[in-house]
Amino acid sequence: MLEYPKERIELAKIAGYLHDIGNNINRVNHAHTGALLAYNILKDMGMDVRSRSDIMMAIGNHDEQTGNPVNEITAALILADKSEVHRDRVLEKNKPRLDIHDRVNYAVTEAELTIDNKEKKVILDLTIDTNICPILDYFKIFMDRTIMSKYAAKYLDIWYELIINDTKLL
């Protein structure tokens, strides 16, 4: 949508596909572990060093605790990953047992990420069922992700906009 070269788009797709591979080892530091795993897998597959390094940087920088948008691939991965919130992500639908992450995801009945190249902005538009959880619960777990998304959009020279229940918050 932002008219980057096809090669860079393909690298972003690969980074998106592999970005959580580190979770197979441990959730803690999964971005760093995943970056190393992906680098070696791509090396074994014959990918050139620059391309696999760009993918490694994207994967290693996608976590909101330690990451930063260091290139356009990383910024795209951050925006995609941090906007992934929806009830379809919840495997266990038994409401009394839902932790805050499951409760927030389950409460999101609609989620749409839109890129408007003409207006130079990316919009995350959510509908949250406040009977399931208050919007404040969303921000308890998504505030750092929202801030990171804002920085990622800025790296791409676009504006980040968040809309929840038809109210524009950013």
Side-chain angles (χ1 to χ4, degrees), residues 27 61-69 75 77-79 81-84 101 104 124 135-153 160 162 164 170:
R27 178 75 181 117
N61 277 286
H62 85 276
D63 186 69
E64 62 271 11
Q65 301 305 312
T66 59
N68 292 293
L77 176 57
I78 289 167
L79 287 169
D81 185 51
K82 305 311 168 201
S83 65
E84 189 179 7
H101 294 88
V104 167
L124 178 57
I135 292 174
L136 184 59
D137 282 1
Y138 171 85
F139 283 108
K140 282 181 185 174
I141 61 172
F142 277 89
M143 181 58 83
D144 289 341
R145 297 173 195 187
T146 300
I147 292 168
M148 188 177 205
S149 295
K150 188 173 179 176
Y151 288 133
Y160 181 77
L162 176 63
I164 298 179
L170 289 175

Side-chain angles (χ1 to χ4, degrees), residues 63-154:
D63 186 69
E64 62 271 11
Q65 301 305 312
T66 59
N68 292 293
V70 295
N71 61 25
E72 71 276 19
I73 296 168
T74 308
L77 176 57
I78 289 167
L79 287 169
D81 185 51
K82 305 311 168 201
S83 65
E84 189 179 7
V85 56
H86 195 272
R87 72 171 28 174
D88 293 343
R89 294 186 48 132
V90 179
L91 300 176
E92 177 61 49
K93 307 285 196 253
N94 188 355
K95 288 187 208 175
R97 288 196 260 156
L98 297 179
D99 70 2
I100 188 170
H101 294 88
D102 284 345
R103 204 169 46 250
V104 167
N105 275 290
Y106 190 76
V108 177
T109 58
E110 293 180 46
E112 185 176 355
L113 184 68
T114 307
I115 298 174
D116 184 337
N117 195 21
K118 183 179 177 185
E119 297 291 323
K120 295 291 184 196
K121 64 182 173 180
V122 58
I123 305 156
L124 178 57
D125 190 352
L126 304 174
T127 302
I128 298 178
D129 183 342
T130 56
N131 292 316
I132 296 171
C133 83
I135 292 174
L136 184 59
D137 282 1
Y138 171 85
F139 283 108
K140 282 181 185 174
I141 61 172
F142 277 89
M143 181 58 83
D144 289 341
R145 297 173 195 187
T146 300
I147 292 168
M148 188 177 205
S149 295
K150 188 173 179 176
Y151 288 133
K154 184 177 181 179

